[in-house]
Amino acid sequence: MEDWLKEDERMDYLLAEDLRIIQSSSVFSFSLDAVLLSKFVNVPFQKGKLVDLCTGNGVIPLFLSARTKGHITGVELQSRLYDMAERSVRYNKLEEQITIIQGDVRTISPQLGVEKYDVVTCNPPYFPAHEASEKNLKEHVAIARHEIHLKLDEMIYSASKLLKQGGKAAFVHRPGRLLDIVTAMRNNRLEPKRIRFVYPKEGKEANTLLIEGIKDGKADLKILPPLYVYGEDGAYTPEVREMLYGDNE
């Protein structure tokens, strides 16, 4: 196991998928948002071409590999995270299904191919760049969480360029950016079709937004039932527990 890991890395389980993933508390560890997005997006089961932008340590491609037989490409800017993702793919023997590319989301469409993909997902940086403090955030974390190298409009533009007509784009973000997201999607031929709000628990404000659109789709937006992460007892709700652990108790 040690041969697969570097520095302060660890190997964690993705229990529901029976896979392993390389993580680092000081560089990158995936959050529940990645799990939610990977379960929310509609994917073709038998075949298709999928892209995950801002892939980090490759967690969303790994999750999606359990839901589709299509080929999945993960795009990550940071070399350390790219390396972690690439090793996780090899450890799980998924090289034939998942390809990890080091690249800039803003300029990736000419490299991967314009209008070639059926599905694009992205768990992008959420926060404006000016909120990043060099004192409080390490570079890897700052880039992953803040719009230092990638703004929301740029991400959605690239997602649209990659998608075929009728292809699906799905994003996870913060509810406060809903209007910005919808505006950017419509400006880039992505018609919002499904939205789901995620709440820490009943009675609390939503803190996460899941949204899926179709390229050149007709206007017909569905608001899905709310998703609650925790119950009154402080434990995961059955729906979230199923996402994380599958049939494991």
Side-chain angles (χ1 to χ4, degrees), residues 236-249:
Y236 285 127
T237 59
E239 184 174 4
V240 172
R241 183 173 178 79
E242 174 70 20
M243 290 182 188
L244 290 170
Y245 306 122
D247 296 327
N248 293 284
E249 294 296 332

Side-chain angles (χ1 to χ4, degrees), residues 101-230:
I101 292 175
Q102 185 177 1
D104 191 326
V105 169
R106 297 172 297 183
T107 57
I108 201 66
S109 55
Q111 179 180 345
L112 294 184
V114 174
E115 299 192 345
K116 299 288 187 183
Y117 293 86
D118 302 287
V119 177
V120 176
T121 56
C122 188
N123 179 6
Y126 292 150
F127 306 108
H130 65 77
E131 293 183 9
S133 168
E134 294 300 327
K135 294 180 181 178
N136 298 326
L137 289 174
K138 295 186 178 181
E139 182 182 11
H140 298 289
V141 179
I143 292 172
R145 293 182 179 174
H146 294 77
E147 295 178 333
I148 295 171
H149 290 299
L150 181 67
K151 293 180 172 57
L152 178 64
D153 288 359
E154 295 170 330
M155 180 273 290
I156 291 176
Y157 170 82
S158 290
S160 180
K161 292 288 284 186
L162 291 165
L163 277 177
K164 299 175 181 176
Q165 186 176 32
K168 295 181 174 68
F171 313 118
V172 58
H173 218 290
R174 292 292 175 258
R177 300 297 298 277
L178 172 59
L179 295 183
D180 295 334
I181 295 166
V182 169
T183 300
M185 289 177 70
R186 283 189 150 176
N187 286 343
N188 288 283
R189 299 168 56 194
L190 298 177
E191 182 60 32
K193 303 289 282 187
R194 300 166 62 233
I195 289 179
R196 192 173 194 189
F197 292 101
V198 183
Y199 301 78
K201 60 190 298 185
E202 287 194 51
K204 300 291 186 180
E205 291 185 0
N207 62 357
T208 302
L209 166 73
L210 297 162
I211 185 167
E212 181 181 80
I214 295 180
K215 187 167 183 177
D216 296 328
K218 295 180 180 179
D220 180 23
L221 177 63
K222 292 180 172 59
I223 307 297
L224 303 182
L227 172 59
Y228 300 107
V229 176
Y230 297 103

